[in-house]
Amino acid sequence: MSSGDCASRHLYCTICNDSDGAIRRARGETALAQSIRRAIDLIRRSAEHPLSLTEAADVLGVHKSTALRILQTLESARFVRRTGAGTYVLGSGLIELSELALGSMDLRQPAAAHLRALQRETGHTVHLAQLTGDEIIYIDKVDSPAFDAVKLPSRVGRAVSIYASAVGKTILAYLPRQERDRLLSHVVFEKFTDTTFTDHDALEAELARIQQCGWAMDNGEHDAYVMCVAAPIRDSRGQVIAAASITAIEVIASLEQLKSNLPLLLETANKISYELGYAPPATASPEGAGHGAT
């Protein structure tokens, strides 16, 4: 064999080896990504209900012994916790991480005292929601201690409907048109209750009303028994980045009763905005607060 043939064979072998190595690396990276996705799914499932080893193995698509090793790894990081019954539930480590993530949001800390003062003055549950990416997320909630037995379905860290909630409509109403249209382009209008806005034109009319009045309401639009009023919170540039709300179950307070608290809510929203560097203009009585706006 000539030296040229040897060189060609060597080059061919090198290319084949490199190609085989690239394929193995790609397969390894794909397998790793799949494992991470499955582990995330496993953590989510453990947050929803106690997870048995058999169910964990099914979620992961592996043998029980492999699933057990993965669960033990997650347990060592306190992402899951093993119960006395041998099932796995969400661990404190992940809860701590979520608290750190929420605490890092600039809005939550300056708003906290004002939200708690509003809850004490009104006696109702108070929420703070913020636009995060393409979702509106509850980032704080102050429950009413007077109605401890009656818990609202809202949770800190959970996304809220952008078109069937007072906080969602408040934030939508003040977004630049292009950004609002982009968010609404992904919305499938689902009729949750008889008062839900189920088409784009009706929602746009409601958003125009919110801009004019300076506040929004939820007349049982997602959960028929939940009433709510909300007000916008602005940053130092004057842009609406969040909303504060007062919420109650209808048997405790009607929408009209909640609307009587609008002056306090608007004052609280202005105080939080001021903390963020916004100087609000003098506010008059909210339009529609004294009569039945719909």
Side-chain angles (χ1 to χ4, degrees):
M1 182 181 297
S2 68
S3 59
D5 291 338
C6 288
S8 297
R9 181 180 292 275
H10 178 72
L11 178 61
Y12 174 76
C13 291
T14 300
I15 292 172
C16 288
N17 289 336
D18 288 346
S19 177
D20 290 344
I23 292 172
R24 284 195 297 271
R25 284 194 298 274
R27 287 174 178 171
E29 289 170 359
T30 300
L32 179 61
Q34 288 176 344
S35 297
I36 293 171
R37 282 196 297 269
R38 287 171 177 169
I40 291 170
D41 194 20
L42 200 64
I43 293 170
R44 289 185 185 276
R45 297 284 186 93
S46 71
E48 293 170 359
H49 60 80
L51 198 66
S52 68
L53 179 58
T54 300
E55 186 179 356
D58 290 341
V59 170
L60 294 167
V62 297
H63 190 269
K64 284 185 180 181
S65 60
T66 304
L68 179 60
R69 287 196 297 272
I70 293 172
L71 283 167
Q72 287 172 338
T73 300
L74 293 173
E75 186 180 12
S76 67
R78 295 186 295 117
F79 283 1
V80 299
R81 174 176 59 84
R82 191 171 187 272
T83 69
T87 55
Y88 292 85
V89 296
L90 189 68
S92 61
L94 203 60
I95 296 171
E96 289 171 8
L97 286 178
S98 66
E99 285 294 322
L100 287 171
L102 288 169
S104 68
M105 294 182 179
D106 292 340
L107 179 58
R108 198 180 184 207
Q109 184 176 358
H114 299 296
L115 296 176
R116 278 144 187 80
L118 180 63
Q119 193 287 314
R120 288 193 299 270
E121 291 184 79
T122 63
H124 299 302
T125 298
V126 172
H127 292 100
L128 180 66
Q130 183 176 25
L131 180 62
T132 304
D134 289 346
E135 293 183 313
I136 295 171
I137 306 290
Y138 286 124
I139 62 171
D140 205 353
K141 177 183 180 182
V142 189
D143 281 306
S144 171
F147 307 105
D148 190 55
V150 184
K151 293 294 184 184
L152 292 165
S154 54
R155 292 183 187 175
V156 172
R158 174 175 288 180
V160 61
S161 170
I162 64 172
Y163 70 94
S165 67
V167 291
K169 290 185 296 181
T170 297
I171 295 172
L172 267 185
Y174 293 96
L175 283 178
R177 168 63 67 174
Q178 186 176 0
E179 178 67 4
R180 184 201 303 177
D181 289 345
R182 187 185 67 80
L183 289 177
L184 288 176
S185 68
H186 303 297
V187 169
V188 177
F189 286 92
E190 182 179 350
K191 186 178 178 64
F192 299 108
T193 72
D194 290 340
T195 56
T196 306
F197 290 92
T198 54
D199 65 79
H200 189 273
D201 290 342
L203 178 62
E204 283 293 338
E206 172 67 359
L207 298 180
R209 185 202 69 81
I210 293 167
Q211 284 186 324
Q212 181 181 6
C213 297
W215 56 274
M217 61 185 174
D218 174 1
N219 186 20
E221 295 159 27
H222 191 277
D223 299 288
Y225 58 95
V226 177
M227 304 290 118
C228 183
V229 289
I233 293 171
R234 301 175 185 272
D235 63 11
S236 59
R237 302 163 295 174
Q239 295 181 359
V240 173
I241 58 167
S245 69
I246 304 172
T247 310
I249 292 175
E250 190 175 21
V251 295
I252 293 173
S254 67
L255 183 58
E256 291 302 314
Q257 289 172 316
L258 286 184
K259 284 163 64 178
S260 69
N261 292 298
L262 276 170
L264 283 173
L265 174 62
L266 290 168
E267 181 183 3
T268 297
N270 279 341
K271 286 179 178 178
I272 297 171
S273 298
Y274 180 79
E275 294 271 8
L276 298 175
Y278 175 66
T283 55
S285 297
E287 184 178 336
H291 54 81
T294 58

